Amino acid sequence: QVQLQESGPGLVKPSQTLSLTCTVSGGSISSGGYYWTWIRQLPGKGLEWIGYIYQTGSTYYNPSLKSRITISLDTSKNHFSLKLYSVTAADTAVYYCARGDNIGHNNWFDPWGQGALVTVSS
Amino acid sequence: DIQMTQSPSSLSASVGHRVTITCRPSQSISSYLNWYQQRPGKAPKLLIYAASNLLSGVPSRFSGSGSGTDFTLTISSLQPEDFATYYCQQSYNTPYTFGQGTKLEIK
């Protein structure tokens, strides 16, 4: 079955760029009509949808983060990536990648990666 | 953005008991509602999609119902592994949003 695994630095300095990669195994990232998604969980708080990239490369971002993020796809490596620019301590969170699926207009996330804790601190 | 309000925020119950968690969006979302379970230190897992469809492999003691602005997740007979935090998520509009979570604890 499909599995996802996040990787990247666990510590980022304020004002720098957070970069994470999600490697997909057990299936191709360029088929199936899925939405490759990033979600984060702020410490002790709920879940925030960051955005997704479709297999064609089209993206959709949360407007609250849109000016600071880029999600990209690398089909040769079967992974997708997140860049979050100009980070602050408020961006400290566990970052999850997930596969988005849908029936008609309803979109859900399954499966998820195990999560990557990223701390923003000098 | 659509605000998702879950109630209660926390709940204590005993093994074998039936529990119900409610999710109310700030506007009607038809049936575009999904439920997730998150155990401590783990990633969320999808349980139910489109309000009432049980994901393959999820025990049948879990069920979902509702539409519009009123949704429920029911666990018919609690098992020890069900003690976790549960989240609802809407996909009627982007940005997709989640409820704040309901923490289910052992009584």
Side-chain angles (χ1 to χ4, degrees), chain B residues 69-82:
Chain B
T69 59
D70 200 356
F71 298 86
T72 58
L73 171 70
T74 299
I75 310 173
S76 60
S77 178
L78 279 171
Q79 299 301 301
E81 60 268 28
D82 299 338

Side-chain angles (χ1 to χ4, degrees), chain B residues 25-103:
Chain B
S26 57
Q27 67 179 74
S28 178
I29 60 169
S30 185
S31 296
Y32 303 136
L33 190 283
N34 309 304
W35 288 99
Y36 301 85
Q37 176 195 67
Q38 185 177 33
R39 296 191 176 110
K42 301 293 186 182
K45 287 187 174 181
L46 179 70
L47 297 175
I48 289 169
Y49 62 95
S52 60
N53 294 276
L54 198 65
L55 185 70
S56 176
V58 173
S60 60
R61 62 181 180 273
F62 290 93
S63 63
S65 65
S67 66
T69 59
D70 200 356
F71 298 86
T72 58
L73 171 70
T74 299
I75 310 173
S76 60
S77 178
L78 279 171
Q79 299 301 301
E81 60 268 28
D82 299 338
F83 292 94
T85 299
Y86 293 84
Y87 293 95
C88 59
Q89 171 247 323
Q90 65 81 20
S91 65
Y92 183 80
N93 273 347
T94 52
Y96 303 134
T97 48
F98 294 83
Q100 82 280 13
T102 294
K103 187 174 184 179

Side-chain angles (χ1 to χ4, degrees), chain A residues 12-78:
Chain A
V12 181
K13 288 182 167 48
S15 80
Q16 295 193 340
T17 298
L18 179 159
S19 295
L20 291 172
T21 295
C22 181
T23 300
V24 179
S25 58
S28 172
I29 203 170
S30 56
S31 64
Y34 298 111
Y35 299 81
W36 302 100
T37 302
W38 288 98
I39 295 163
R40 69 181 182 179
Q41 187 164 32
L42 304 173
K45 294 186 179 179
L47 297 156
E48 180 179 34
W49 175 76
I50 297 172
Y52 65 67
I53 186 165
Y54 191 56
Q55 63 184 50
T56 57
S58 62
T59 54
Y60 199 94
Y61 302 145
N62 190 322
S64 69
L65 297 167
K66 185 177 182 178
S67 63
R68 296 198 292 132
I69 60 174
T70 299
I71 298 176
S72 58
L73 203 62
D74 187 334
T75 56
S76 67
K77 296 180 180 177
N78 216 43

